[in-house]
Amino acid sequence: MRELPRTGIAAAVALFVADQFSKWLVTGPLGIAQAGDVREIVSFFDLRFVPNVGISLGLLPAEGGWTRWALVLLTGAIAVGVAVWMWRERNRADQMALGLVLGGAVGNILDRVRFGYVVDFADLHFGEWRPFLVFNVADAAITIGVLVLLVRAFLTRDSKSDKGPDAPVENIHA
């Protein structure tokens, strides 16, 4: 029997809780719950309520009933794929990265089911220049998880696939 990916599960659960807590804190006690509500934290970071009806970068807006649920199904299917990958993954760093992606995806899916949109609130800016759209903890975790997976895929080698310096050179012209 395959061992549970404890690292990935722990990352997913912790991220999901942090995401939902931050959204509750911003929209509840801090009272930033309507489009246009803004609270400056420091000169380059504001809390700004933005109901995101689309996916990343506001693409594919799902404002209607059936499009909302189609987006829930699409992102749910992706989350299931990530969970299966995490379950099969043996490398703990990859499990953690997949856990970040999974926890973030589930947090955003829950928002879409509950509200019809994803609660975005983090606004990083330098004057008028914004390197990112307004985002949330889940979005940041998904981005970090994907970047970790990409860096590991491009910069590390699996010892099983590394043939070593004494391996015979294969004849590709045969």
Side-chain angles (χ1 to χ4, degrees):
M1 185 171 168
R2 186 172 294 265
E3 185 178 326
L4 284 175
R6 290 188 181 110
T7 303
I9 292 170
V13 169
L15 191 283
F16 174 79
V17 169
D19 175 63
Q20 292 299 300
F21 177 75
S22 66
K23 291 171 180 174
W24 168 80
L25 185 63
V26 168
T27 60
L30 295 178
I32 305 167
Q34 295 181 22
D37 287 353
V38 179
R39 180 169 300 167
E40 181 178 314
I41 303 302
V42 292
S43 64
F44 58 88
F45 184 78
D46 300 332
L47 297 178
R48 176 183 308 273
F49 181 84
V50 174
N52 182 355
V53 296
I55 57 173
S56 293
L57 305 175
L59 301 173
L60 297 176
E63 296 173 355
W66 76 270
T67 55
R68 167 187 172 190
W69 294 109
L71 194 50
V72 167
L73 287 174
L74 174 66
T75 54
I78 293 168
V80 167
V82 169
V84 168
W85 180 5
M86 185 179 76
W87 190 268
R88 293 179 176 175
E89 184 59 56
R90 296 197 184 273
N91 181 287
R92 287 188 180 187
D94 289 349
Q95 284 180 11
M96 175 150 322
L98 290 163
L100 292 176
V101 173
L102 181 61
V106 172
N108 283 345
I109 290 168
L110 180 61
D111 281 9
R112 195 169 307 284
V113 168
R114 289 175 56 206
F115 309 123
Y117 56 84
V118 174
V119 175
D120 286 341
F121 60 85
D123 184 14
L124 178 66
H125 58 88
F126 303 96
E128 293 300 313
W129 181 63
R130 288 174 163 75
F132 311 104
L133 294 176
V134 177
F135 60 98
N136 61 42
V137 171
D139 298 337
I142 291 167
T143 301
I144 291 166
V146 168
L147 287 174
V148 167
L149 291 168
L150 287 172
V151 166
R152 287 190 42 74
F154 288 119
L155 298 181
T156 62
R157 286 186 161 196
D158 185 4
S159 61
K160 293 177 197 172
S161 64
D162 188 6
K163 295 179 182 181
D166 298 327
V169 176
E170 296 177 16
N171 185 352
I172 60 171
H173 301 289

